[in-house]
Amino acid sequence: MERNLAKAAQYLGITRPKLIDLMREKGLLNERNLPAYPTRDREYLRIKDGQWWHPELGMQYSQSTRVKQAGLPWLAEQLGLEMPEIPATPDRRDVA
């Protein structure tokens, strides 16, 4: 599961602008809010390429940062944030 920066920030209990500021301070994002080191951090962050057709301007392209599931605890550690407790899911095999 991947999250955009807004959902990752919500999960970490901060706002998207605050997350971006913290990630830029640590050198994790560049000025376009894309991973500064996409190869080094590929286990945690990725660039999502998007495209759409605009009736007057033609094909439009965009890029955005996605945080992978393994990237959430890594990001919290990098930024000095507390990870929220994830409730344990009961194992369905444990039956009477």
Side-chain angles (χ1 to χ4, degrees), residues 33-72:
N33 295 337
L34 298 174
Y37 301 98
T39 303
R40 180 192 75 182
D41 299 335
R42 71 179 167 263
E43 298 295 320
Y44 312 110
L45 305 172
R46 84 169 182 96
I47 297 173
K48 179 183 180 238
D49 294 313
Q51 62 186 22
W52 68 95
W53 177 260
H54 188 280
E56 294 175 14
L57 303 174
M59 191 60 76
Q60 302 293 300
Y61 300 92
S62 68
Q63 291 183 315
S64 60
T65 297
R66 295 291 190 249
V67 180
K68 296 181 178 184
Q69 187 65 32
L72 291 171

Side-chain angles (χ1 to χ4, degrees), residues 1 13-14 26 62 79 84 91:
M1 178 178 190
I14 59 176
K26 291 289 185 177
S62 68
L79 304 178
D91 191 344

Side-chain angles (χ1 to χ4, degrees), residues 14-38:
I14 59 176
T15 64
R16 179 180 174 273
K18 180 68 175 170
L19 177 62
I20 291 170
D21 288 343
L22 291 171
M23 289 179 76
R24 281 187 179 173
E25 284 175 19
K26 291 289 185 177
L28 300 175
L29 291 181
N30 63 20
E31 66 281 348
R32 294 178 53 215
N33 295 337
L34 298 174
Y37 301 98

